Amino acid sequence: MTEKPILWSFRRCPYAIRARLAIQSAGIAVDLREILLRDKPDAFLAASPSATVPCLQADTTLDESRDIMLWALHHSDPSDWLAGHDASLMDACDGPFKQALDHTKYHVRFPALSRQAERAKAAAFLQDLDHRLIGQRYLTGDQMRITDAAILPFVRQFANIDRAWFDAQSWPHLIRWLDHFTASAEFANVMMKYPVWQPGQPAVRFPA
């Protein structure tokens, strides 16, 4: 890397959260550019082929969050996150679970679908995660790794739809895993609020 990479991000987006988690774990400094999704700047639209966050401009341009995670960790992996790379579980999160999450969270956009049925689909995935967490702290062992970082932001998003309902379900290991993550310094650091990027403003270093 000849210049500091640029990371276009939106604080609450789970895809952006997991990209920031991996960059933070890797210890790579980037120029973070926070944007508003309702008012995307021209510089961002010129950078991102898909016009979605996160988008990383480095030696190449990456606008898929998992590609950004792997890019960061292939450059530096001091916590050995790649040792816990379960691509199939991440695919299940990004595919059927995320679809059911969206159908539950944004149910007014999908009047032909049953919100309860979609929530049940998401719950089946979460029940599987709870089973995986029996006897271990994280999804691939006793240390947080890339698979946890990739999935946790989406579980958090689902839980926040109706936290009382979520906490009433029979997945104690999942709740413990999620609560430990959301109370961690690592999560607090990636969720710091930054000003919306404007052309010509000083660079914002991430991790701070």
Side-chain angles (χ1 to χ4, degrees), residues 1-37:
M1 293 180 289
T2 57
E3 297 180 1
K4 186 188 294 185
I6 296 170
L7 178 69
W8 297 92
S9 185
F10 177 65
R11 178 177 173 271
R12 298 195 307 274
C13 171
Y15 294 104
I17 292 171
R18 70 182 182 184
R20 297 196 303 271
L21 283 167
I23 289 170
Q24 175 177 254
S25 181
I28 297 173
V30 300
D31 175 1
L32 187 143
R33 297 185 177 182
E34 178 77 6
I35 68 168
L36 296 176
L37 299 183

Side-chain angles (χ1 to χ4, degrees), residues 4 9 15 31 41 48-49 53 58 64 89 98 117 121 124 127 135 138 144-145 148 154 159 179 185 187 197 207:
K4 186 188 294 185
S9 185
Y15 294 104
D31 175 1
S48 173
V53 292
E64 293 291 338
L89 190 57
K98 181 60 167 66
K121 292 178 183 178
Q127 199 69 62
Y138 296 97
M144 180 164 171
R145 300 193 191 276
D148 301 278
F154 296 93
D179 287 347
F187 178 68
W197 178 81

Side-chain angles (χ1 to χ4, degrees), residues 3 14 16 40 45 56 79 82 84 110 167 178 182 186 189 191:
E3 297 180 1
K40 298 173 183 177
L45 294 173
L56 181 82
S79 297
L82 288 173
F110 306 98
D167 286 343
L178 175 62
T182 56
E186 291 79 8
N189 290 341
M191 294 304 288

Side-chain angles (χ1 to χ4, degrees), residues 12-182:
R12 298 195 307 274
C13 171
Y15 294 104
I17 292 171
R18 70 182 182 184
R20 297 196 303 271
L21 283 167
I23 289 170
Q24 175 177 254
S25 181
I28 297 173
V30 300
D31 175 1
L32 187 143
R33 297 185 177 182
E34 178 77 6
I35 68 168
L36 296 176
L37 299 183
R38 65 176 182 271
D39 186 20
K40 298 173 183 177
D42 291 341
F44 164 71
L45 294 173
S48 173
S50 65
T52 59
V53 292
C55 175
L56 181 82
Q57 291 177 272
D59 299 328
T60 187
T61 297
L62 302 173
D63 67 349
E64 293 291 338
S65 58
R66 282 167 60 176
D67 290 342
I68 295 172
M69 296 180 82
L70 292 172
W71 171 89
L73 295 169
H74 281 305
H75 276 86
S76 174
D77 189 13
S79 297
D80 202 24
W81 274 25
L82 288 173
H85 186 196
D86 188 332
S88 62
L89 190 57
M90 292 159 71
D91 287 343
C93 172
D94 291 2
F97 174 67
K98 181 60 167 66
Q99 186 178 58
L101 188 165
D102 287 345
H103 291 165
T104 305
K105 182 178 176 64
Y106 307 110
H107 61 97
V108 295
R109 302 179 188 174
F110 306 98
L113 298 176
S114 163
R115 188 185 191 196
Q116 289 72 27
E118 293 302 307
R119 185 166 71 173
K121 292 178 183 178
F125 174 75
L126 298 178
Q127 199 69 62
D128 176 63
L129 295 186
D130 183 76
H131 182 76
R132 290 169 183 264
L133 289 163
I134 295 173
Q136 60 187 36
R137 295 178 63 195
Y138 296 97
L139 292 173
T140 61
D142 288 325
Q143 180 180 328
M144 180 164 171
R145 300 193 191 276
I146 186 174
T147 303
D148 301 278
I151 294 175
L152 272 162
F154 296 93
V155 176
R156 171 180 173 268
Q157 186 182 49
F158 181 83
N160 287 342
I161 297 171
D162 186 343
R163 188 61 203 243
W165 177 89
F166 183 89
D167 286 343
Q169 305 310 301
S170 58
W171 42 49
H173 312 288
L174 180 79
I175 293 171
R176 181 263 308 159
W177 173 72
L178 175 62
D179 287 347
H180 179 77
F181 169 66
T182 56

